[in-house]
Amino acid sequence: MKIEVLTVDSARTAVLEKQVTATALVDAFYQKIEAEDPAIGAYLTLCKDRAHRQAERVDTLADKGDALPPLAGVPIAIKDVLTTKGVRTTAGSKILDNFIAPYDATAVARLEAAGAIVLGKTNCDEFAMGSSNENSGFHPVKNPRDHSRVPGGSSGGSAAVIAAGTAVASLGSDTGGSIRQPGAFCGVVGLKPTYGRVSRYGLIAFASSLDHVGPFGKTVKDVALILQHMAGRDPLDSTSANLPVPNYTEQIGEPVKGLKIGVPKEYFGEGLDPEVRAAVEAGIQELAKAGCEIVSVSLPHTEYAIPTYYLIATAEASSNLARFDGVRYGVRPKEAKTLAEMYRKTRDAGFGTEVKRRIMLGTYALSAGYYDAYYLKAQRVRSLLARDFDEAFTKVDAIVTPTTPTPAFKLGEKTDDPLAMYLADIYTVTANLVGVPGITVPCGKSKEGLPIGLQILGKHFDEATVLRTAHVVEHAIAVSGNAA
Ligand code: GLN
């Protein structure tokens, strides 16, 4: 069995039809990970015992002829910002190097309850802060399509395992683009659901009003299946929405004729790589051919999205990260003589440069005298951005943009220039500020063979339309032979 081509659908079918046992499948994945992952660096921790216990559960059910759960035997990987009971959970940070989580994140628990098998935890930028995975406290991840390039970030490991075929599906988190941007760089599908659609219980918080949990997969249907089994109200997360979860896969493949697709001119301006533009425009043409009506729309406050995001994200991060003080979690230097010295030494040794930069920026923006000028102002602009989307969605059903301004850049290319790095998220951060769902789907390749992603944004809680539209692009690309 060629495990690198398995999808969620084909993996579960193989297990359901007893072409392979869940245990054999897990073993095959671990063999591939051990042979190939060292060159990529996507995994930080493997949880073989846990995976084997779950595989045995599935195999026992199959032996008895019992009905199997919907994701039975599907091997998945989890970004290391989601807690996993009894398994090291680091958030990509040295400060949590030795942290064994005491409980499972709800998203992980739900997927496991549906039969999925957690292979391990994936590398990421420290506390999910970054766009290239080079801020990991451990080591960077290489893009499996070209090892001299970044996989994107911060969920770089979770995108890379899909591109490398070392997991069938994975989970990431997206605070400003960290699922969609690496999805685009690695040529895989990545979905950031609506704010409130998926529980964040067990997600190590970066910026709570912007953080989302979402899936990566090889296909649109795969991410729909994973979303299906983790979405919905969770009493452990008061921000999770109490709304019914529709059947997402049922709607994939339904005709899109008559659907109104908005193209915002602000997303096609200066800084957009010509090859990315051409590939995204070709994707839009495919939607037109499928009967969508293409409508030009305006999101006039777009230019303020990056500064707004970096004010709100850093402010919330400075507060969320206050809990890492050496008292409750992780690593504590031994030599401190006073409590204050212990805090200082823990945080100095445990946090990397980017995390420290953000804590300082956020603390400054929240400090008395500056709060109104920065944080409050940013929240006001956030309302204007939300209004832009409300207005656009009175005219269209979904919005199509590039996912990133360029294809994957070289390792080291932007590490000395944080502002250039921040611009890698220029097309993705707004969906976090506004809370609408967004997907990246591969829409072609550059001349150098690097994947290019097309982003589709939808109305709040309308993941179904986003997925249905993305499937049309995916199908057209497969037919054209230009798939990643
Ligand atoms: N790259 C953005 C940042 O550095 C987004 C990160 C994310 O979505 N987690 O903040």
Side-chain angles (χ1 to χ4, degrees):
M1 180 175 287
K2 282 182 82 181
I3 58 169
E4 58 273 22
V5 298
L6 284 176
T7 58
V8 171
D9 231 4
S10 60
R12 67 179 185 158
T13 308
V15 174
L16 286 173
E17 293 179 352
K18 296 197 177 184
Q19 295 158 25
V20 65
T21 63
T23 304
L25 195 56
V26 163
D27 287 339
F29 271 94
Y30 279 131
Q31 253 178 33
K32 188 171 171 68
I33 291 167
E34 269 152 21
E36 296 172 24
D37 194 61
I40 292 172
Y43 279 98
L44 287 178
T45 305
L46 300 177
C47 46
K48 290 188 179 175
D49 289 348
R50 180 173 171 147
H52 279 120
R53 277 199 306 274
Q54 171 79 338
E56 272 161 32
R57 253 198 303 272
V58 170
D59 289 336
T60 309
L61 285 177
D63 284 346
K64 283 200 287 192
D66 287 353
L68 291 184
L71 299 178
V74 176
I76 59 171
I78 307 292
K79 184 179 182 181
D80 212 14
V81 291
L82 286 156
T83 56
T84 38
K85 187 175 179 179
V87 176
R88 187 172 84 128
T89 299
T90 68
S93 181
K94 285 280 191 220
I95 212 164
L96 290 177
D97 199 4
N98 60 359
F99 176 61
I100 309 288
Y103 59 86
D104 279 327
T106 296
V108 175
R110 287 190 179 174
L111 294 181
E112 245 184 10
I117 300 178
V118 176
L119 295 173
K121 308 296 292 290
T122 59
N123 200 350
C124 55
D125 286 304
E126 187 176 3
F127 288 102
M129 298 175 186
S131 307
S132 68
N133 221 117
E134 291 162 299
N135 295 339
S136 164
F138 298 95
H139 48 82
V141 177
K142 298 195 176 120
N143 189 321
R145 313 273 182 199
D146 174 346
H147 288 196
S148 70
R149 292 180 189 265
V150 303
S154 62
S155 315
S158 283
V161 294
I162 305 302
T166 47
V168 171
S170 61
L171 292 188
S173 68
D174 190 315
T175 303
S178 279
I179 291 176
R180 290 158 289 153
Q181 189 255 20
F185 278 11
C186 291
V188 303
V189 183
L191 173 75
K192 180 198 84 66
T194 309
Y195 191 76
R197 179 83 288 184
V198 174
S199 166
R200 292 146 347 131
Y201 181 71
L203 171 68
I204 297 174
F206 161 12
S208 308
S209 76
L210 300 161
D211 291 342
H212 300 66
V213 175
F216 288 96
K218 288 193 189 79
T219 66
V220 173
K221 186 166 179 200
D222 278 5
V223 299
L225 279 165
I226 299 293
L227 177 66
Q228 191 78 54
H229 295 291
M230 62 180 185
R233 172 74 183 160
D234 173 13
L236 298 173
D237 174 4
S238 60
T239 64
S240 66
N242 200 359
L243 290 171
V245 178
N247 187 327
Y248 297 116
T249 45
E250 225 171 45
Q251 301 187 39
I252 289 178
E254 274 186 21
V256 289
K257 193 163 180 317
L259 214 61
K260 292 201 177 74
I261 300 293
V263 179
K265 55 178 184 299
E266 292 83 0
Y267 283 64
F268 290 82
E270 205 189 325
L272 177 60
D273 177 277
E275 287 191 284
V276 175
R277 173 197 290 271
V280 172
E281 285 175 349
I284 294 170
Q285 278 317 306
E286 293 297 341
L287 290 170
K289 271 193 234 160
C292 293
E293 189 185 327
I294 310 299
V295 182
S296 173
V297 293
S298 176
L299 299 167
H301 296 91
T302 298
E303 64 175 304
Y304 305 113
I306 287 278
T308 304
Y309 169 80
Y310 276 97
L311 275 166
I312 294 173
T314 54
E316 293 184 10
S318 71
S319 166
N320 274 324
L321 270 57
R323 75 191 68 177
F324 300 102
D325 55 9
V327 178
R328 283 158 289 200
Y329 315 93
V331 180
R332 174 199 298 182
K334 297 232 163 20
E335 63 279 13
K337 290 188 191 65
T338 64
L339 185 64
E341 196 183 339
M342 194 261 290
Y343 290 164
R344 234 182 356 257
K345 287 207 156 131
T346 300
R347 290 165 74 80
D348 184 37
F351 289 142
T353 313
E354 182 63 24
V355 172
K356 287 178 184 157
R357 178 184 292 128
R358 293 193 188 202
I359 291 171
M360 287 193 282
L361 283 169
T363 307
Y364 179 80
L366 289 179
S367 54
Y370 295 114
Y371 181 89
D372 288 4
Y374 295 115
Y375 188 71
L376 199 65
K377 183 76 154 260
Q379 290 291 20
R380 291 199 171 124
V381 179
R382 186 178 192 172
S383 300
L384 294 175
L385 287 160
R387 219 178 286 164
D388 284 357
F389 275 80
D390 288 345
E391 173 73 27
F393 281 133
T394 62
K395 301 192 194 97
V396 297
D397 302 299
I399 290 173
V400 173
T401 78
T403 309
T404 58
T406 65
F409 45 88
K410 296 261 189 201
L411 282 150
E413 194 179 316
K414 296 187 199 284
T415 37
D416 295 334
D417 187 350
L419 288 182
M421 192 72 95
Y422 294 174
L423 289 175
D425 300 304
I426 191 156
Y427 302 137
T428 50
V429 295
T430 314
N432 300 72
L433 289 163
V434 175
V436 295
I439 198 168
T440 185
V441 60
C443 70
K445 281 184 281 192
S446 71
K447 280 193 210 72
E448 283 181 285
L450 300 170
I452 295 172
L454 176 146
Q455 175 175 243
I456 302 166
L457 304 172
K459 297 178 185 172
H460 286 104
F461 296 102
D462 192 13
E463 283 82 4
T465 300
V466 168
L467 290 160
R468 188 151 64 101
T469 311
H471 180 69
V472 174
V473 176
E474 172 181 64
H475 182 71
I477 296 303
V479 171
S480 74
N482 210 12

